[in-house]
PDB file of all heavy atoms in Angstrom:
ATOM      1  N   SER A1342     114.386 111.565 100.057  1.00 95.00           N
ATOM      2  CA  SER A1342     114.980 110.463  99.300  1.00 95.00           C
ATOM      3  C   SER A1342     115.884 109.611 100.188  1.00 95.00           C
ATOM      4  O   SER A1342     115.891 108.382 100.085  1.00 95.00           O
ATOM      5  CB  SER A1342     115.764 111.027  98.119  1.00 95.00           C
ATOM      6  OG  SER A1342     116.238 110.010  97.301  1.00 95.00           O
ATOM      7  N   GLU A1343     116.627 110.253 101.083  1.00 95.00           N
ATOM      8  CA  GLU A1343     117.529 109.542 101.984  1.00 95.00           C
ATOM      9  C   GLU A1343     116.789 108.635 102.966  1.00 95.00           C
ATOM     10  O   GLU A1343     117.331 107.634 103.408  1.00 95.00           O
ATOM     11  CB  GLU A1343     118.408 110.530 102.758  1.00 95.00           C
ATOM     12  CG  GLU A1343     119.478 111.172 101.901  1.00 95.00           C
ATOM     13  CD  GLU A1343     120.261 112.230 102.656  1.00 95.00           C
ATOM     14  OE1 GLU A1343     120.117 112.343 103.896  1.00 95.00           O
ATOM     15  OE2 GLU A1343     121.023 112.964 101.992  1.00 95.00           O
ATOM     16  N   VAL A1344     115.548 108.984 103.327  1.00 95.00           N
ATOM     17  CA  VAL A1344     114.784 108.145 104.261  1.00 95.00           C
ATOM     18  C   VAL A1344     113.870 107.161 103.533  1.00 95.00           C
ATOM     19  O   VAL A1344     113.048 106.506 104.150  1.00 95.00           O
ATOM     20  CB  VAL A1344     113.973 108.980 105.280  1.00 95.00           C
ATOM     21  CG1 VAL A1344     114.894 109.775 106.176  1.00 95.00           C
ATOM     22  CG2 VAL A1344     112.939 109.857 104.608  1.00 95.00           C
ATOM     23  N   GLY A1345     114.009 107.078 102.202  1.00 93.00           N
ATOM     24  CA  GLY A1345     113.301 106.050 101.449  1.00 93.00           C
ATOM     25  C   GLY A1345     111.988 106.452 100.814  1.00 93.00           C
ATOM     26  O   GLY A1345     111.271 105.595 100.302  1.00 93.00           O
ATOM     27  N   VAL A1346     111.665 107.733 100.813  1.00 93.00           N
ATOM     28  CA  VAL A1346     110.437 108.176 100.152  1.00 93.00           C
ATOM     29  C   VAL A1346     110.668 108.128  98.646  1.00 93.00           C
ATOM     30  O   VAL A1346     111.638 108.671  98.140  1.00 93.00           O
ATOM     31  CB  VAL A1346     110.053 109.610 100.596  1.00 93.00           C
ATOM     32  CG1 VAL A1346     108.887 110.134  99.777  1.00 93.00           C
ATOM     33  CG2 VAL A1346     109.723 109.615 102.074  1.00 93.00           C
ATOM     34  N   GLN A1347     109.750 107.466  97.931  1.00 88.00           N
ATOM     35  CA  GLN A1347     109.960 107.249  96.501  1.00 88.00           C
ATOM     36  C   GLN A1347     109.274 108.264  95.611  1.00 88.00           C
ATOM     37  O   GLN A1347     109.672 108.460  94.482  1.00 88.00           O
ATOM     38  CB  GLN A1347     109.489 105.848  96.122  1.00 88.00           C
ATOM     39  CG  GLN A1347     110.336 104.773  96.745  1.00 88.00           C
ATOM     40  CD  GLN A1347     109.900 103.397  96.323  1.00 88.00           C
ATOM     41  OE1 GLN A1347     108.833 103.217  95.768  1.00 88.00           O
ATOM     42  NE2 GLN A1347     110.733 102.420  96.607  1.00 88.00           N
ATOM     43  N   GLY A1348     108.226 108.909  96.088  1.00 91.00           N
ATOM     44  CA  GLY A1348     107.533 109.861  95.235  1.00 91.00           C
ATOM     45  C   GLY A1348     106.941 111.003  96.026  1.00 91.00           C
ATOM     46  O   GLY A1348     106.464 110.817  97.139  1.00 91.00           O
ATOM     47  N   ILE A1349     106.982 112.192  95.434  1.00 95.00           N
ATOM     48  CA  ILE A1349     106.366 113.362  96.064  1.00 95.00           C
ATOM     49  C   ILE A1349     105.639 114.162  94.982  1.00 95.00           C
ATOM     50  O   ILE A1349     105.943 114.042  93.800  1.00 95.00           O
ATOM     51  CB  ILE A1349     107.388 114.266  96.794  1.00 95.00           C
ATOM     52  CG1 ILE A1349     108.373 114.909  95.816  1.00 95.00           C
ATOM     53  CG2 ILE A1349     108.124 113.509  97.867  1.00 95.00           C
ATOM     54  CD1 ILE A1349     109.281 115.943  96.450  1.00 95.00           C
ATOM     55  N   THR A1350     104.692 114.952  95.409  1.00 97.00           N
ATOM     56  CA  THR A1350     104.006 115.885  94.530  1.00 97.00           C
ATOM     57  C   THR A1350     104.323 117.286  95.025  1.00 97.00           C
ATOM     58  O   THR A1350     104.227 117.555  96.221  1.00 97.00           O
ATOM     59  CB  THR A1350     102.477 115.655  94.558  1.00 97.00           C
ATOM     60  OG1 THR A1350     102.217 114.319  94.140  1.00 97.00           O
ATOM     61  CG2 THR A1350     101.761 116.623  93.640  1.00 97.00           C
ATOM     62  N   VAL A1351     104.699 118.168  94.109  1.00 97.00           N
ATOM     63  CA  VAL A1351     105.083 119.528  94.468  1.00 97.00           C
ATOM     64  C   VAL A1351     104.178 120.512  93.735  1.00 97.00           C
ATOM     65  O   VAL A1351     103.956 120.377  92.532  1.00 97.00           O
ATOM     66  CB  VAL A1351     106.561 119.807  94.098  1.00 97.00           C
ATOM     67  CG1 VAL A1351     106.935 121.246  94.397  1.00 97.00           C
ATOM     68  CG2 VAL A1351     107.472 118.847  94.831  1.00 97.00           C
ATOM     69  N   THR A1352     103.664 121.479  94.470  1.00 98.00           N
ATOM     70  CA  THR A1352     102.809 122.512  93.911  1.00 98.00           C
ATOM     71  C   THR A1352     103.307 123.874  94.363  1.00 98.00           C
ATOM     72  O   THR A1352     103.634 124.050  95.538  1.00 98.00           O
ATOM     73  CB  THR A1352     101.346 122.338  94.410  1.00 98.00           C
ATOM     74  OG1 THR A1352     100.944 120.985  94.240  1.00 98.00           O
ATOM     75  CG2 THR A1352     100.410 123.242  93.660  1.00 98.00           C
ATOM     76  N   GLU A1353     103.374 124.821  93.428  1.00 97.00           N
ATOM     77  CA  GLU A1353     103.705 126.190  93.812  1.00 97.00           C
ATOM     78  C   GLU A1353     102.426 126.850  94.316  1.00 97.00           C
ATOM     79  O   GLU A1353     101.416 126.853  93.613  1.00 97.00           O
ATOM     80  CB  GLU A1353     104.264 126.959  92.620  1.00 97.00           C
ATOM     81  CG  GLU A1353     105.626 126.457  92.185  1.00 97.00           C
ATOM     82  CD  GLU A1353     106.192 127.240  91.011  1.00 97.00           C
ATOM     83  OE1 GLU A1353     105.614 128.290  90.648  1.00 97.00           O
ATOM     84  OE2 GLU A1353     107.199 126.797  90.466  1.00 97.00           O
ATOM     85  N   VAL A1354     102.478 127.374  95.535  1.00 95.00           N
ATOM     86  CA  VAL A1354     101.303 127.983  96.151  1.00 95.00           C
ATOM     87  C   VAL A1354     101.675 129.352  96.708  1.00 95.00           C
ATOM     88  O   VAL A1354     102.847 129.720  96.761  1.00 95.00           O
ATOM     89  CB  VAL A1354     100.726 127.086  97.276  1.00 95.00           C
ATOM     90  CG1 VAL A1354     100.221 125.774  96.706  1.00 95.00           C
ATOM     91  CG2 VAL A1354     101.747 126.836  98.366  1.00 95.00           C
ATOM     92  N   LYS A1355     100.665 130.091  97.140  1.00 89.00           N
ATOM     93  CA  LYS A1355     100.886 131.365  97.815  1.00 89.00           C
ATOM     94  C   LYS A1355     100.071 131.372  99.080  1.00 89.00           C
ATOM     95  O   LYS A1355      98.991 130.781  99.135  1.00 89.00           O
ATOM     96  CB  LYS A1355     100.457 132.536  96.927  1.00 89.00           C
ATOM     97  CG  LYS A1355     101.335 132.738  95.731  1.00 89.00           C
ATOM     98  CD  LYS A1355     100.935 133.958  94.960  1.00 89.00           C
ATOM     99  CE  LYS A1355     101.891 134.144  93.797  1.00 89.00           C
ATOM    100  NZ  LYS A1355     101.732 135.448  93.174  1.00 89.00           N
ATOM    101  N   GLY A1356     100.581 132.020 100.110  1.00 85.00           N
ATOM    102  CA  GLY A1356      99.849 132.080 101.360  1.00 85.00           C
ATOM    103  C   GLY A1356     100.562 132.943 102.377  1.00 85.00           C
ATOM    104  O   GLY A1356     101.594 133.546 102.088  1.00 85.00           O
ATOM    105  N   PHE A1357      99.982 132.976 103.564  1.00 79.00           N
ATOM    106  CA  PHE A1357     100.630 133.696 104.657  1.00 79.00           C
ATOM    107  C   PHE A1357     100.219 133.060 105.968  1.00 79.00           C
ATOM    108  O   PHE A1357      99.202 132.399 106.071  1.00 79.00           O
ATOM    109  CB  PHE A1357     100.293 135.195 104.642  1.00 79.00           C
ATOM    110  CG  PHE A1357      98.855 135.507 104.940  1.00 79.00           C
ATOM    111  CD1 PHE A1357      98.432 135.686 106.248  1.00 79.00           C
ATOM    112  CD2 PHE A1357      97.941 135.616 103.920  1.00 79.00           C
ATOM    113  CE1 PHE A1357      97.106 135.985 106.528  1.00 79.00           C
ATOM    114  CE2 PHE A1357      96.620 135.916 104.183  1.00 79.00           C
ATOM    115  CZ  PHE A1357      96.199 136.095 105.493  1.00 79.00           C
ATOM    116  N   GLY A1358     101.044 133.264 106.958  1.00 78.00           N
ATOM    117  CA  GLY A1358     100.772 132.785 108.300  1.00 78.00           C
ATOM    118  C   GLY A1358     100.752 133.964 109.243  1.00 78.00           C
ATOM    119  O   GLY A1358     100.160 135.001 108.955  1.00 78.00           O
ATOM    120  N   ARG A1359     101.448 133.829 110.333  1.00 73.00           N
ATOM    121  CA  ARG A1359     101.471 134.900 111.326  1.00 73.00           C
ATOM    122  C   ARG A1359     102.087 136.191 110.815  1.00 73.00           C
ATOM    123  O   ARG A1359     101.741 137.265 111.264  1.00 73.00           O
ATOM    124  CB  ARG A1359     102.243 134.438 112.559  1.00 73.00           C
ATOM    125  CG  ARG A1359     101.511 133.395 113.349  1.00 73.00           C
ATOM    126  CD  ARG A1359     102.251 133.079 114.616  1.00 73.00           C
ATOM    127  NE  ARG A1359     101.603 131.979 115.303  1.00 73.00           N
ATOM    128  CZ  ARG A1359     102.202 131.180 116.131  1.00 73.00           C
ATOM    129  NH1 ARG A1359     103.481 131.343 116.410  1.00 73.00           N
ATOM    130  NH2 ARG A1359     101.546 130.199 116.712  1.00 73.00           N
ATOM    131  N   GLN A1360     103.031 136.080 109.869  1.00 67.00           N
ATOM    132  CA  GLN A1360     103.697 137.298 109.401  1.00 67.00           C
ATOM    133  C   GLN A1360     102.772 138.150 108.545  1.00 67.00           C
ATOM    134  O   GLN A1360     103.027 139.318 108.324  1.00 67.00           O
ATOM    135  CB  GLN A1360     104.993 136.969 108.646  1.00 67.00           C
ATOM    136  CG  GLN A1360     104.789 136.487 107.220  1.00 67.00           C
ATOM    137  CD  GLN A1360     104.708 134.987 107.091  1.00 67.00           C
ATOM    138  OE1 GLN A1360     104.291 134.286 108.004  1.00 67.00           O
ATOM    139  NE2 GLN A1360     105.093 134.471 105.952  1.00 67.00           N
ATOM    140  N   LYS A1361     101.682 137.602 108.047  1.00 66.00           N
ATOM    141  CA  LYS A1361     100.659 138.323 107.284  1.00 66.00           C
ATOM    142  C   LYS A1361     101.241 139.140 106.135  1.00 66.00           C
ATOM    143  O   LYS A1361     100.841 140.266 105.885  1.00 66.00           O
ATOM    144  CB  LYS A1361      99.848 139.220 108.205  1.00 66.00           C
ATOM    145  CG  LYS A1361      99.165 138.437 109.299  1.00 66.00           C
ATOM    146  CD  LYS A1361      97.928 139.117 109.782  1.00 66.00           C
ATOM    147  CE  LYS A1361      97.161 138.353 110.811  1.00 66.00           C
ATOM    148  NZ  LYS A1361      97.769 137.355 111.590  1.00 66.00           N
ATOM    149  N   GLY A1362     102.201 138.585 105.441  1.00 60.00           N
ATOM    150  CA  GLY A1362     102.792 139.271 104.299  1.00 60.00           C
ATOM    151  C   GLY A1362     103.819 140.305 104.722  1.00 60.00           C
ATOM    152  O   GLY A1362     104.270 140.326 105.855  1.00 60.00           O
ATOM    153  N   HIS A1363     104.191 141.162 103.791  1.00 62.00           N
ATOM    154  CA  HIS A1363     105.164 142.206 104.076  1.00 62.00           C
ATOM    155  C   HIS A1363     105.000 143.339 103.059  1.00 62.00           C
ATOM    156  O   HIS A1363     104.279 143.207 102.078  1.00 62.00           O
ATOM    157  CB  HIS A1363     106.588 141.648 104.053  1.00 62.00           C
ATOM    158  CG  HIS A1363     106.999 141.117 102.714  1.00 62.00           C
ATOM    159  ND1 HIS A1363     106.664 139.856 102.277  1.00 62.00           N
ATOM    160  CD2 HIS A1363     107.700 141.685 101.721  1.00 62.00           C
ATOM    161  CE1 HIS A1363     107.146 139.670 101.062  1.00 62.00           C
ATOM    162  NE2 HIS A1363     107.776 140.758 100.688  1.00 62.00           N
ATOM    163  N   THR A1364     105.682 144.441 103.315  1.00 66.00           N
ATOM    164  CA  THR A1364     105.617 145.561 102.374  1.00 66.00           C
ATOM    165  C   THR A1364     106.894 145.584 101.541  1.00 66.00           C
ATOM    166  O   THR A1364     107.969 145.206 102.009  1.00 66.00           O
ATOM    167  CB  THR A1364     105.458 146.907 103.110  1.00 66.00           C
ATOM    168  OG1 THR A1364     106.556 147.073 104.002  1.00 66.00           O
ATOM    169  CG2 THR A1364     104.155 146.961 103.872  1.00 66.00           C
ATOM    170  N   GLU A1365     106.751 146.026 100.289  1.00 64.00           N
ATOM    171  CA  GLU A1365     107.893 146.149  99.389  1.00 64.00           C
ATOM    172  C   GLU A1365     107.818 147.484  98.679  1.00 64.00           C
ATOM    173  O   GLU A1365     106.760 148.100  98.596  1.00 64.00           O
ATOM    174  CB  GLU A1365     107.887 145.019  98.350  1.00 64.00           C
ATOM    175  CG  GLU A1365     108.235 143.665  98.913  1.00 64.00           C
ATOM    176  CD  GLU A1365     108.401 142.611  97.840  1.00 64.00           C
ATOM    177  OE1 GLU A1365     108.333 142.949  96.637  1.00 64.00           O
ATOM    178  OE2 GLU A1365     108.600 141.455  98.199  1.00 64.00           O
ATOM    179  N   LEU A1366     108.952 147.924  98.162  1.00 68.00           N
ATOM    180  CA  LEU A1366     109.013 149.135  97.359  1.00 68.00           C
ATOM    181  C   LEU A1366     109.173 148.751  95.893  1.00 68.00           C
ATOM    182  O   LEU A1366     109.985 147.882  95.557  1.00 68.00           O
ATOM    183  CB  LEU A1366     110.203 149.999  97.770  1.00 68.00           C
ATOM    184  CG  LEU A1366     110.054 150.818  99.049  1.00 68.00           C
ATOM    185  CD1 LEU A1366     111.365 151.514  99.373  1.00 68.00           C
ATOM    186  CD2 LEU A1366     108.938 151.829  98.897  1.00 68.00           C
ATOM    187  N   TYR A1367     108.388 149.372  95.025  1.00 69.00           N
ATOM    188  CA  TYR A1367     108.518 149.155  93.593  1.00 69.00           C
ATOM    189  C   TYR A1367     108.394 150.501  92.899  1.00 69.00           C
ATOM    190  O   TYR A1367     107.359 151.156  92.984  1.00 69.00           O
ATOM    191  CB  TYR A1367     107.441 148.182  93.085  1.00 69.00           C
ATOM    192  CG  TYR A1367     107.516 147.919  91.612  1.00 69.00           C
ATOM    193  CD1 TYR A1367     108.539 147.152  91.087  1.00 69.00           C
ATOM    194  CD2 TYR A1367     106.583 148.463  90.745  1.00 69.00           C
ATOM    195  CE1 TYR A1367     108.630 146.914  89.735  1.00 69.00           C
ATOM    196  CE2 TYR A1367     106.656 148.239  89.387  1.00 69.00           C
ATOM    197  CZ  TYR A1367     107.687 147.458  88.886  1.00 69.00           C
ATOM    198  OH  TYR A1367     107.775 147.226  87.534  1.00 69.00           O
ATOM    199  N   ARG A1368     109.471 150.925  92.245  1.00 74.00           N
ATOM    200  CA  ARG A1368     109.510 152.218  91.561  1.00 74.00           C
ATOM    201  C   ARG A1368     109.077 153.362  92.474  1.00 74.00           C
ATOM    202  O   ARG A1368     108.283 154.223  92.106  1.00 74.00           O
ATOM    203  CB  ARG A1368     108.673 152.188  90.299  1.00 74.00           C
ATOM    204  CG  ARG A1368     109.232 151.234  89.274  1.00 74.00           C
ATOM    205  CD  ARG A1368     108.517 151.365  87.971  1.00 74.00           C
ATOM    206  NE  ARG A1368     109.136 150.472  86.998  1.00 74.00           N
ATOM    207  CZ  ARG A1368     108.757 150.375  85.746  1.00 74.00           C
ATOM    208  NH1 ARG A1368     107.766 151.106  85.300  1.00 74.00           N
ATOM    209  NH2 ARG A1368     109.351 149.550  84.942  1.00 74.00           N
ATOM    210  N   GLY A1369     109.532 153.302  93.692  1.00 74.00           N
ATOM    211  CA  GLY A1369     109.267 154.366  94.641  1.00 74.00           C
ATOM    212  C   GLY A1369     107.946 154.271  95.367  1.00 74.00           C
ATOM    213  O   GLY A1369     107.682 155.045  96.283  1.00 74.00           O
ATOM    214  N   ALA A1370     107.098 153.338  94.975  1.00 75.00           N
ATOM    215  CA  ALA A1370     105.790 153.182  95.625  1.00 75.00           C
ATOM    216  C   ALA A1370     105.834 151.978  96.560  1.00 75.00           C
ATOM    217  O   ALA A1370     106.382 150.930  96.217  1.00 75.00           O
ATOM    218  CB  ALA A1370     104.691 152.995  94.585  1.00 75.00           C
ATOM    219  N   GLU A1371     105.272 152.142  97.730  1.00 69.00           N
ATOM    220  CA  GLU A1371     105.232 151.047  98.696  1.00 69.00           C
ATOM    221  C   GLU A1371     103.910 150.304  98.535  1.00 69.00           C
ATOM    222  O   GLU A1371     102.856 150.908  98.374  1.00 69.00           O
ATOM    223  CB  GLU A1371     105.331 151.614 100.119  1.00 69.00           C
ATOM    224  CG  GLU A1371     105.499 150.552 101.178  1.00 69.00           C
ATOM    225  CD  GLU A1371     105.744 151.155 102.546  1.00 69.00           C
ATOM    226  OE1 GLU A1371     106.856 151.672 102.784  1.00 69.00           O
ATOM    227  OE2 GLU A1371     104.813 151.107 103.359  1.00 69.00           O
ATOM    228  N   TYR A1372     103.994 148.981  98.524  1.00 66.00           N
ATOM    229  CA  TYR A1372     102.775 148.187  98.433  1.00 66.00           C
ATOM    230  C   TYR A1372     102.896 146.951  99.314  1.00 66.00           C
ATOM    231  O   TYR A1372     104.002 146.522  99.666  1.00 66.00           O
ATOM    232  CB  TYR A1372     102.449 147.810  96.989  1.00 66.00           C
ATOM    233  CG  TYR A1372     103.444 146.885  96.336  1.00 66.00           C
ATOM    234  CD1 TYR A1372     103.192 145.514  96.246  1.00 66.00           C
ATOM    235  CD2 TYR A1372     104.630 147.358  95.806  1.00 66.00           C
ATOM    236  CE1 TYR A1372     104.106 144.667  95.660  1.00 66.00           C
ATOM    237  CE2 TYR A1372     105.552 146.523  95.220  1.00 66.00           C
ATOM    238  CZ  TYR A1372     105.274 145.175  95.135  1.00 66.00           C
ATOM    239  OH  TYR A1372     106.187 144.339  94.548  1.00 66.00           O
ATOM    240  N   VAL A1373     101.763 146.394  99.677  1.00 70.00           N
ATOM    241  CA  VAL A1373     101.717 145.248 100.586  1.00 70.00           C
ATOM    242  C   VAL A1373     101.616 143.961  99.780  1.00 70.00           C
ATOM    243  O   VAL A1373     100.784 143.848  98.879  1.00 70.00           O
ATOM    244  CB  VAL A1373     100.514 145.356 101.548  1.00 70.00           C
ATOM    245  CG1 VAL A1373     100.425 144.131 102.439  1.00 70.00           C
ATOM    246  CG2 VAL A1373     100.622 146.622 102.379  1.00 70.00           C
ATOM    247  N   VAL A1374     102.486 143.018 100.090  1.00 69.00           N
ATOM    248  CA  VAL A1374     102.419 141.685  99.503  1.00 69.00           C
ATOM    249  C   VAL A1374     101.723 140.801 100.530  1.00 69.00           C
ATOM    250  O   VAL A1374     102.313 140.432 101.542  1.00 69.00           O
ATOM    251  CB  VAL A1374     103.831 141.141  99.175  1.00 69.00           C
ATOM    252  CG1 VAL A1374     103.739 139.734  98.612  1.00 69.00           C
ATOM    253  CG2 VAL A1374     104.546 142.068  98.211  1.00 69.00           C
ATOM    254  N   ASP A1375     100.442 140.506 100.292  1.00 75.00           N
ATOM    255  CA  ASP A1375      99.657 139.716 101.246  1.00 75.00           C
ATOM    256  C   ASP A1375     100.017 138.241 101.202  1.00 75.00           C
ATOM    257  O   ASP A1375     100.077 137.579 102.225  1.00 75.00           O
ATOM    258  CB  ASP A1375      98.158 139.875 100.973  1.00 75.00           C
ATOM    259  CG  ASP A1375      97.667 141.269 101.314  1.00 75.00           C
ATOM    260  OD1 ASP A1375      98.227 141.879 102.238  1.00 75.00           O
ATOM    261  OD2 ASP A1375      96.734 141.731 100.652  1.00 75.00           O
ATOM    262  N   PHE A1376     100.189 137.719 100.004  1.00 80.00           N
ATOM    263  CA  PHE A1376     100.451 136.293  99.848  1.00 80.00           C
ATOM    264  C   PHE A1376     101.888 136.087  99.411  1.00 80.00           C
ATOM    265  O   PHE A1376     102.330 136.622  98.400  1.00 80.00           O
ATOM    266  CB  PHE A1376      99.491 135.688  98.820  1.00 80.00           C
ATOM    267  CG  PHE A1376      98.058 135.763  99.255  1.00 80.00           C
ATOM    268  CD1 PHE A1376      97.215 136.727  98.748  1.00 80.00           C
ATOM    269  CD2 PHE A1376      97.567 134.866 100.183  1.00 80.00           C
ATOM    270  CE1 PHE A1376      95.895 136.801  99.149  1.00 80.00           C
ATOM    271  CE2 PHE A1376      96.252 134.924 100.598  1.00 80.00           C
ATOM    272  CZ  PHE A1376      95.411 135.900 100.082  1.00 80.00           C
ATOM    273  N   LEU A1377     102.602 135.285 100.178  1.00 85.00           N
ATOM    274  CA  LEU A1377     104.002 135.013  99.898  1.00 85.00           C
ATOM    275  C   LEU A1377     104.130 133.708  99.123  1.00 85.00           C
ATOM    276  O   LEU A1377     103.366 132.763  99.352  1.00 85.00           O
ATOM    277  CB  LEU A1377     104.780 134.914 101.209  1.00 85.00           C
ATOM    278  CG  LEU A1377     104.706 136.150 102.098  1.00 85.00           C
ATOM    279  CD1 LEU A1377     105.355 135.877 103.440  1.00 85.00           C
ATOM    280  CD2 LEU A1377     105.363 137.326 101.415  1.00 85.00           C
ATOM    281  N   PRO A1378     105.104 133.617  98.207  1.00 90.00           N
ATOM    282  CA  PRO A1378     105.276 132.373  97.458  1.00 90.00           C
ATOM    283  C   PRO A1378     105.779 131.259  98.371  1.00 90.00           C
ATOM    284  O   PRO A1378     106.699 131.457  99.178  1.00 90.00           O
ATOM    285  CB  PRO A1378     106.309 132.726  96.391  1.00 90.00           C
ATOM    286  CG  PRO A1378     107.005 133.933  96.902  1.00 90.00           C
ATOM    287  CD  PRO A1378     106.043 134.648  97.806  1.00 90.00           C
ATOM    288  N   LYS A1379     105.156 130.108  98.247  1.00 94.00           N
ATOM    289  CA  LYS A1379     105.529 128.926  99.025  1.00 94.00           C
ATOM    290  C   LYS A1379     105.500 127.716  98.105  1.00 94.00           C
ATOM    291  O   LYS A1379     105.034 127.788  96.964  1.00 94.00           O
ATOM    292  CB  LYS A1379     104.552 128.684 100.184  1.00 94.00           C
ATOM    293  CG  LYS A1379     104.441 129.818 101.183  1.00 94.00           C
ATOM    294  CD  LYS A1379     105.652 129.899 102.059  1.00 94.00           C
ATOM    295  CE  LYS A1379     105.467 131.005 103.104  1.00 94.00           C
ATOM    296  NZ  LYS A1379     106.580 131.082 104.000  1.00 94.00           N
ATOM    297  N   VAL A1380     105.965 126.591  98.603  1.00 97.00           N
ATOM    298  CA  VAL A1380     105.888 125.323  97.882  1.00 97.00           C
ATOM    299  C   VAL A1380     105.178 124.330  98.787  1.00 97.00           C
ATOM    300  O   VAL A1380     105.496 124.234  99.976  1.00 97.00           O
ATOM    301  CB  VAL A1380     107.297 124.798  97.524  1.00 97.00           C
ATOM    302  CG1 VAL A1380     107.226 123.399  96.949  1.00 97.00           C
ATOM    303  CG2 VAL A1380     107.982 125.730  96.547  1.00 97.00           C
ATOM    304  N   LYS A1381     104.216 123.617  98.218  1.00 98.00           N
ATOM    305  CA  LYS A1381     103.498 122.592  98.970  1.00 98.00           C
ATOM    306  C   LYS A1381     103.964 121.226  98.470  1.00 98.00           C
ATOM    307  O   LYS A1381     103.918 120.944  97.280  1.00 98.00           O
ATOM    308  CB  LYS A1381     101.996 122.726  98.775  1.00 98.00           C
ATOM    309  CG  LYS A1381     101.197 121.714  99.562  1.00 98.00           C
ATOM    310  CD  LYS A1381      99.708 121.942  99.351  1.00 98.00           C
ATOM    311  CE  LYS A1381      98.883 120.963 100.149  1.00 98.00           C
ATOM    312  NZ  LYS A1381      97.442 121.169  99.887  1.00 98.00           N
TER     313      LYS A1381
END
């Protein structure tokens, strides 16, 4: 907005790059999150 852009489109997306996701613990079980939440 400060540089004069008047309109944008925003989409919630999921993906991964070099980090290829990560592991998380849920109720004592470890699982892999392949796609991370991002905004496009």
Side-chain angles (χ1 to χ4, degrees):
S1342 186
E1343 287 175 10
V1344 296
V1346 173
Q1347 293 182 347
I1349 66 172
T1350 301
V1351 177
T1352 311
E1353 292 181 10
V1354 296
K1355 291 185 178 192
F1357 67 88
R1359 290 186 186 155
Q1360 78 267 29
K1361 301 207 177 22
H1363 63 278
T1364 58
E1365 288 188 5
L1366 283 175
Y1367 180 72
R1368 295 188 177 182
E1371 188 174 287
Y1372 66 99
V1373 177
V1374 178
D1375 291 329
F1376 296 101
L1377 302 173
K1379 301 286 183 178
V1380 172
K1381 182 178 181 182

